[in-house]
Amino acid sequence: MVGTGPAGLTTAITLARHGIEVMVVERRATQSGLPRAASVSTRTMELLRSWGLEQEIRAGGVEVEWKQWVGPTLTAAGDTHLTSFPTREQSAVLSPTAPASVPQDHLEPVLLDHLRSFGIARVEMGTEVVGLDGRTDDVQVTLRDVETRETRIVHARYLVAADGARSTVRDALGIVMRGPGRLSQAVGTEFRAPLWELLGDRRYCIYAVTHPEAAGVFVPAGRGDRWVYGVEHELAQEPSPSLTKEQSARLIRLGSGRADLAPRIERIGTFTFAAQLADRWREGAAFLVGDAAHQITPRGGTGMNTAIQSAYDLGWKLAWVLRGWTGPQLLDTYEAERRPVAAHNVARSADPHGGARLAAQELPADLGGRIPHVWVRSRADAASTLDLLGPGLTMFTNGPSAAWQRAASSIPGPPLVVHDLDAITARGMGIPRGGALLARPDGAPAGWWPSGTEPAAVLRDAIRALPTPSETADRLAEGAYAR
C-alpha cells in the first residue's frame, strides 16, 4: 500500500479487518496538517459507522445542516439553498447515520490509529517508492528511506497505489490521466475567528459571499472556530493569484461584514482544480485508488468520498481473493463497478454549476444501490439492516429460515450469516414471507428470491455468479428476482 491518505488507509483497514497482513508506506514523515476535504457523505459515514468510528470521527467536526447560505456578507440578509447532501430530516429516513462536517486532518489520524490497532499492519512513514517491477502474479517494489536514502526491495502479492494526484506508481506503470488538469485555480486561507457568533443559528456547511471586492466561500474546518476562506480565479488571470496575510485578513473582514474582525491567519495556499480519470485502474497486480485514479474538483464535496468508497470496494475484494473465498476474477469488478461513479463525479465537478445539484439527483451515486436502511424492530439495541452486514455474505430472510440456515452452512466460499427479520422489517426491505435477500459486504444485493425457492441450489448459483450491483438492478428490473 502506497499512501496514508483516506484512500490508502481505507484499503488497508478493510484488508486488516479481514485478517490480511498489510504494509503501508508514506513518503511524508508525518500526516498532513491541512483541513482539505471536510464533507463526509452519507455512505462514507455508513462505512465508518460499521467500523465503530462514527463518534470518534464526529468529535473532530462541527454540527451543521447541509445547506448553503448565499449573501453579500455573512452579516447581511441572504438566501438558503439545499445541497447534494441530505438534510438531517432526510438522513433520518435514508440511513442510520448522516453526513458529517469533519476536516481531513482529523479523519486521517483516526483512520491511522484504527489501522494500527489490528497489529497486523506495518506502517512506514518517510518511505518512498523509487522503482517498480510489475508482474502478472506479484509486484517487486524498490523502497527508499527519505532521510537516510537507503534502498531495499520488497515483494507483494498485490500493490495498491494511493499516492495522490502526482502518483509515482501510476507514472511507473505508464498509465495516463485524461481530462482537464487546470480548470481554474483558487487561493485558500485557513484561519480562526469567531464567525459562529456572527452566524447565530445559521449553522450550515458552506457560506458563499457575493461582496464585489471579496467574493468567495467560507467553509467550517473543524472545532474551535477554524475556517477556510476560498477565492476562485480564472487561469487567464495574470499574475498567478497569491495573497499576503494582510490581504487575506482584509478580504475575510469584507466578506464577514465586520470591519473590526481580527482573523488569525494560519496558512495560505494555492491549488488548481482538475477533473481527470486514469486510462485504467489496474496493471497486472497493481491497482490505482483515490486521486491516483481520479482527480475531482471541490465542487459538490465528492472527491474524498469517491476515494474512500472505491478503496473500500477494492479492499474487500482483495481480501476475499487472498482468503481464498473466491477467484481472482472478482478483482475485475473493481474498476467495472467504481469507474462509472468516479466518471459521474469527475464530470459533475468540472461543471461550474455542479455543486448546486440536489440530494435527490446525487444520492444514487453516493449510496450505490445498497440494501435499504430499516431499523430492526426485533432487536433490543438500535440496529439498522446495514449494521447487520458482515465481512462475507449476509442473508436476510422472512421466516421460515431453517432451510436457508441449512443451505448457508453447507455452501463453500465466503462466510454467510443468516438474519431472520420480523415481518415489518422484512416488508421495509421488500422481502416476502418465506423469501430471502443476499447481500455483499458493501450492501449490494447478490440475490433476491421469493418464497418456495429451493435454498441450496439458488445460493450456490448466486455465490458462483456474484453479480455486480448494476447487473443485479438489471435482473430486478427484468423480474428475474421476484420480490
Side-chain angles (χ1 to χ4, degrees):
M1 194 76 54
V2 186
T4 58
L9 291 171
T10 298
T11 312
I13 288 169
T14 307
L15 287 163
R17 292 182 68 87
H18 282 79
I20 305 298
E21 293 185 8
V22 61
M23 178 181 180
V24 185
V25 298
E26 167 60 55
R27 181 181 56 81
R28 298 169 301 178
T30 60
Q31 289 184 292
S32 172
L34 299 175
R36 302 175 73 179
S39 299
V40 188
S41 75
T42 307
R43 182 57 187 153
T44 301
M45 285 304 299
E46 288 175 356
L47 296 177
L48 298 172
R49 172 187 168 91
S50 73
W51 296 345
L53 300 179
E54 180 177 12
Q55 297 309 314
E56 191 174 358
I57 294 295
R58 290 191 186 279
V62 291
E63 288 296 325
V64 299
E65 183 57 278
W66 289 93
K67 296 179 180 180
Q68 180 184 42
W69 184 90
V70 182
T73 69
L74 295 181
T75 54
D79 299 317
T80 303
H81 305 273
L82 295 174
T83 69
S84 60
F85 281 19
T87 64
R88 294 173 187 170
E89 191 172 297
Q90 292 170 330
S91 295
V93 177
L94 293 166
S95 175
T97 183
S101 176
V102 177
Q104 195 168 323
D105 58 349
H106 172 76
L107 174 69
E108 288 183 2
V110 172
L111 293 179
L112 182 57
D113 287 346
H114 186 59
L115 173 63
R116 285 173 165 156
S117 71
F118 291 97
I120 55 174
R122 180 177 168 188
V123 181
E124 297 190 11
M125 306 297 287
T127 302
E128 60 184 347
V129 175
V130 293
L132 177 64
D133 181 8
R135 306 171 184 175
T136 57
D137 56 343
D138 72 349
V139 182
Q140 178 179 292
V141 184
T142 303
L143 301 177
R144 180 169 63 195
D145 186 291
V146 173
E147 183 176 351
T148 67
R149 315 305 288 176
E150 294 181 357
T151 63
R152 70 187 191 278
I153 294 175
V154 298
H155 292 266
R157 179 64 188 87
Y158 294 105
L159 171 68
V160 177
D163 51 344
R166 293 183 291 274
S167 170
T168 300
V169 175
R170 185 187 63 224
D171 291 345
L173 295 172
I175 299 176
V176 178
M177 297 291 286
R178 306 287 182 184
R182 289 174 57 81
L183 280 169
S184 63
Q185 53 192 347
V187 178
T189 300
E190 180 188 335
F191 69 98
R192 295 182 186 270
L195 296 188
W196 291 121
E197 293 180 10
L198 305 181
L199 296 167
D201 59 358
R202 293 178 293 148
R203 297 183 67 89
Y204 302 139
C205 63
I206 186 170
Y207 302 82
V209 296
T210 59
H211 190 290
E213 295 182 56
V217 295
F218 289 91
V219 180
R223 295 191 178 277
D225 259 318
R226 186 191 191 202
W227 294 81
V228 170
Y229 171 69
V231 180
E232 191 173 349
H233 293 265
E234 296 298 325
L235 285 169
Q237 289 183 346
E238 293 293 343
S240 296
S242 61
L243 294 172
T244 64
K245 287 188 175 182
E246 292 73 19
Q247 290 171 327
S248 284
R250 175 180 175 274
L251 292 175
I252 291 168
R253 281 193 290 270
L254 288 173
S256 71
R258 284 285 301 271
D260 60 342
L261 190 72
R264 188 170 83 242
I265 309 298
E266 297 188 341
R267 188 181 287 108
I268 302 172
T270 302
F271 58 94
T272 301
F273 283 17
Q276 297 185 310
L277 271 175
D279 270 353
R280 59 191 185 280
W281 294 2
R282 180 182 184 181
E283 183 67 32
F287 296 83
L288 305 183
V289 73
D291 285 352
H294 44 71
Q295 295 174 39
I296 300 174
T297 80
R299 297 186 189 116
T302 62
M304 181 181 69
N305 294 295
T306 306
I308 288 175
Q309 293 168 34
S310 294
Y312 173 76
D313 185 85
L314 177 59
W316 76 258
K317 290 171 179 176
L318 283 170
W320 275 33
V321 172
L322 291 169
R323 292 292 302 267
W325 294 349
T326 189
Q329 68 275 9
L330 181 65
L331 299 177
D332 296 333
T333 68
Y334 161 57
E335 184 171 352
E337 294 185 22
R338 291 301 305 174
R339 188 180 186 91
V341 178
H344 170 87
N345 289 336
V346 167
R348 176 195 172 191
S349 79
D351 178 0
H353 305 291
R357 298 184 189 179
L358 299 182
Q361 296 173 274
E362 297 304 318
L363 273 171
D366 186 47
L367 299 184
R370 53 103 168 115
I371 61 172
H373 150 65
V374 185
W375 291 112
V376 183
R377 293 161 55 94
S378 60
R379 293 176 64 104
D381 54 337
S384 164
T385 47
L386 300 178
D387 297 329
L388 303 183
L389 295 170
L393 293 168
T394 304
M395 171 159 282
F396 299 93
T397 63
N398 179 16
S401 64
W404 292 107
Q405 291 275 11
R406 288 194 298 271
S409 63
S410 65
I411 300 297
L416 200 169
V417 177
V418 179
H419 293 282
D420 191 30
L421 304 176
D422 64 273
I424 299 299
T425 305
R427 180 182 177 86
M429 296 186 71
I431 305 174
R433 178 72 177 172
L437 166 63
L438 185 68
R440 308 186 318 183
D442 58 358
W448 211 319
W449 300 281
S451 59
T453 305
E454 200 287 306
V458 296
L459 269 182
R460 191 179 298 109
D461 291 344
I463 293 172
R464 187 181 296 119
L466 279 175
T468 66
S470 59
E471 289 171 343
T472 302
D474 291 342
R475 295 183 189 182
L476 284 168
E478 295 165 1
Y481 295 150
R483 293 185 58 176

